Amino acid sequence: MSRYKVDIQALPAQTFNAPLGSNTLVIELQWMARLEVFRVSISTASGNLLTAGRFLLPDVDLLAGLYPPPKVNYGSLILEGKQPTPDNLGVDNTLVWSDER
């Protein structure tokens, strides 16, 4: 089983490439001030959208239940720790990828 931390910064908005095993995904985080939650969009490196509009919440797998189900097993991507805010993102919590679902 492979498992490692995905680097994120304490910012209200960011887009970054995340090498997850043998795949690279593009992750966009956008702080929604009114709801006080981060909105997440995830695409493949080639630009195919996997999911959009999910919330970044502790202990929720961002790669679960993708529809239509991808032919590739992307594993799981879970935020561990406290509820994220622009001030504590990547400080009081950790985004963790695992090759197991």
Side-chain angles (χ1 to χ4, degrees):
M1 175 174 118
S2 294
R3 176 182 156 90
Y4 58 84
K5 176 182 172 184
V6 176
D7 288 327
I8 48 179
Q9 298 177 340
L11 297 170
Q14 58 190 292
T15 301
F16 56 92
N17 291 330
L20 307 177
S22 61
N23 301 293
T24 297
L25 298 181
V26 179
I27 301 173
E28 178 185 359
L29 303 176
Q30 182 72 42
W31 179 248
M32 298 177 65
R34 188 169 204 196
L35 298 175
E36 296 186 351
V37 68
F38 279 96
R39 180 180 50 115
V40 181
S41 296
I42 302 174
S43 303
T44 64
S46 62
N48 294 323
L49 186 64
L50 294 176
T51 188
R54 293 188 180 205
F55 292 153
L56 182 61
L57 302 170
D59 304 318
V60 174
D61 183 1
L62 293 170
L63 297 174
L66 298 177
Y67 188 83
K71 295 176 183 174
V72 175
N73 178 7
Y74 291 107
S76 64
L77 189 61
I78 299 173
L79 185 75
E80 296 178 350
K82 293 185 179 183
Q83 177 70 28
T85 67
D87 295 328
N88 79 357
L89 186 63
V91 176
D92 295 331
N93 44 53
T94 305
L95 192 57
V96 176
W97 174 82
S98 173
D99 61 358
E100 293 186 359
R101 287 197 165 235

